[in-house]
Amino acid sequence: MVTPENLSGETGAQREPKFDRDTSTTAVDTAIVLLGAGVTAITHPLLYVKLLIQIGHEPLTPTVGTTMFGRNVLYLPGFFSYAQHIIRVDGKRGLFRGLSPRIMSSAISTMVRSKVKQAIPAEQVENVSNRDDLKTSLRKVVKETSHEMVIQCLSRIATHPFHVISVRCMAQFVGREIKYRGLFSCIANIFKEEGVGGFFAGVVPHVLGEVIFLWCCNLLAHFINTYAVDNNIAVSVLTYPFMLVADLMAVNNCGLVAGVPPNSPIFKSWLRCWAHLSHEGHLFRGSSFFFRRVPVKVMALTEE
């Protein structure tokens, strides 16, 4: 027989797991935010150097080297040489220019992803089983990827303003400006000069690149599981130009030396930027930290 005590006991038993689950979710999210902040800080110098290479800033002279076939080539400085140059100019703290907006971006991304997953629970997405036939498993992969794409797009849109701020803070190294110095002053400057649209400079190629990367990785991994790692590398090569264009558009014509002639043309759209990089053979500029060769066109001009 159901008594008030039993009913109360059943209700309490049902509520406790929910409370524990919410507490557990909050703790996990906090741990992920802290872990993400640590990883972001550790890897920031790598991304800082990569960004300066992407925007075409080459302060160090190339060195002459030879290929395995004995041909003379000019090698641009690698990560360690570039990092040492930054330390000579700005000190060791200089390697972490633009770090705070990246940490904010990482934290907001974690919170957005968590909220979206709560709004669209993973239980509603079917997992792929080894017993599924090709048609069924493909349908599940498409459903899973669509779910992840929504999360990824919302996360990118929410965090892109901080990406723009971080990129511009780092790009100031080129012209030695002090225009973007604090998070709130950066927000005020961008809003005053460019309006809300300034916070989303380069967002289209960035979102496109991430969406293409997500779909290609998931579909290729589904069809060729044994080559999943190689697929990730191949897809990274495919989508890298989108990330490059996004970073260049974040700096382009924003008032910094790095984003105006002669350091960079002024682009009316990200498609114009893509076309220019393609014409110059620079669509993969900054994709490698080591054994960076001078582009063939520059080599030809040097020899002349």
Side-chain angles (χ1 to χ4, degrees), residues 190-211:
I190 295 175
F191 184 77
K192 180 180 178 181
E193 296 180 1
E194 304 171 56
V196 177
F199 293 105
F200 296 95
V203 69
V204 174
H206 212 155
V207 171
L208 280 176
E210 291 188 349
V211 168

Side-chain angles (χ1 to χ4, degrees), residues 1-7 10:
M1 188 173 85
V2 178
T3 64
E5 290 80 3
N6 292 337
L7 182 60
E10 290 174 3

